[in-house]
């Protein structure tokens, strides 16, 4: 059986010599290290502007499109607990409302920030963070969140196309801990 597998592998390598190269090339990130560094710096700038409550600065970070998206906590029951806010006017208003609610502090774990290229013009970043906020019934205690951002290259700049902020639910207490 091993001889058959070895023969099959040898035949594939002989008949399709570029196959392994093509397969490995398709798994490479379409963005170079310098571009990844640029997006990481844009992420840090986004956090800085958010912590300063700089709504105008944040506005410039977003893709100017009705398709720009922010997913965040909602204060309006009919929207549900968390909702999508589409377009720059809705995003600006949501960010203004959150900033006006009191102190907001985003503390990302930059050691876990991950940026990957999806295409040469689209990237995605992921970062766990603690967010301290008193908006929409939140009590101002730092809580864990995940921030997932899709970045779109516009001209020579990287803009936020979508920002999804997800609360991390508390770890459930095991039955053993409850009985112990």
């Amino acid at each position: 059986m091993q001889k058959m597998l070895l023969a099959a592998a040898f035949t594939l390598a002989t008949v399709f010599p570029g196959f392994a190269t093509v397969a490995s090339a398709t798994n490479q990130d379409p963005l170079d290290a310098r571009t990844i560094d640029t997006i990481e710096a844009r992420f840090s700038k986004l956090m800085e502007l958010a912590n300063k409550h700089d709504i105008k600065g944040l506005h410039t970070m977003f893709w100017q499109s009705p398709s720009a998206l922010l997913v965040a906590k909602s204060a309006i029951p009919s929207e549900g607990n968390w909702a999508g806010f589409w377009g720059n006017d809705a995003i600006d208003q949501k960010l203004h409302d959150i900033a006006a609610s009191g102190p907001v502090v985003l503390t990302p774990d930059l050691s876990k920030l991950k940026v990957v290229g999806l295409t040469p013009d689209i990237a995605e970043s992921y970062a766990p963070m603690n967010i301290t906020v008193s908006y929409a019934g939140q009590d101002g205690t730092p809580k864990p969140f995940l921030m997932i951002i899709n970045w779109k290259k516009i001209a020579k700049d990287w803009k936020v196309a979508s920002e999804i902020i997800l609360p991390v639910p508390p770890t459930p207490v095991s039955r053993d801990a409850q009985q112990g």
Side-chain angles (χ1 to χ4, degrees):
M1 180 70 165
Q2 283 182 324
K3 287 182 183 181
M4 283 180 45
L5 289 174
L6 186 58
F10 178 76
T11 302
L12 283 174
T14 304
V15 175
F16 302 108
F19 180 75
T21 305
V22 171
S24 65
T26 60
N27 292 330
Q28 290 182 352
D29 196 312
L31 303 178
D32 60 24
R34 190 171 130 207
T35 303
I36 298 288
D37 289 345
T38 298
I39 296 168
E40 288 174 351
R42 298 288 290 161
F43 178 87
S44 293
K45 180 69 174 178
L46 185 72
M47 297 300 102
E48 175 188 327
L49 293 170
N51 285 330
K52 288 181 179 178
H53 298 192
D54 184 344
I55 305 306
K56 288 182 182 178
L58 288 168
H59 176 85
T60 66
M61 296 283 301
F62 277 82
W63 175 35
Q64 300 304 300
S65 169
S67 297
L69 169 65
L70 172 69
V71 174
K73 178 86 167 117
S74 176
I76 301 169
S78 64
E79 293 176 337
N81 197 22
W82 289 78
F85 301 90
W86 293 92
N88 301 100
D89 290 342
I91 291 169
D92 291 349
Q93 185 62 54
K94 176 53 60 180
L95 293 173
H96 174 271
D97 293 348
I98 293 169
S101 71
V104 178
V105 179
L106 286 76
T107 310
D109 182 348
L110 294 176
S111 72
K112 294 183 180 169
L113 172 63
K114 177 74 175 170
V115 176
V116 295
L118 302 177
T119 72
D121 296 326
I122 303 290
E124 187 170 66
S125 64
Y126 161 91
M129 64 180 56
N130 283 318
I131 300 178
T132 304
V133 64
S134 297
Y135 177 73
Q138 297 174 88
D139 65 9
T141 303
K143 292 192 172 79
F145 288 82
L146 301 176
M147 183 174 284
I148 302 156
I149 299 175
N150 285 317
W151 299 88
K152 181 173 177 60
K153 189 174 185 183
I154 306 293
K156 294 185 182 219
D157 201 5
W158 287 91
K159 300 289 185 175
V160 175
S162 67
E163 179 179 304
I164 301 170
I165 305 165
L166 297 173
V168 175
T171 304
V173 177
S174 70
R175 290 181 190 209
D176 293 338
Q178 290 174 347
Q179 295 172 356

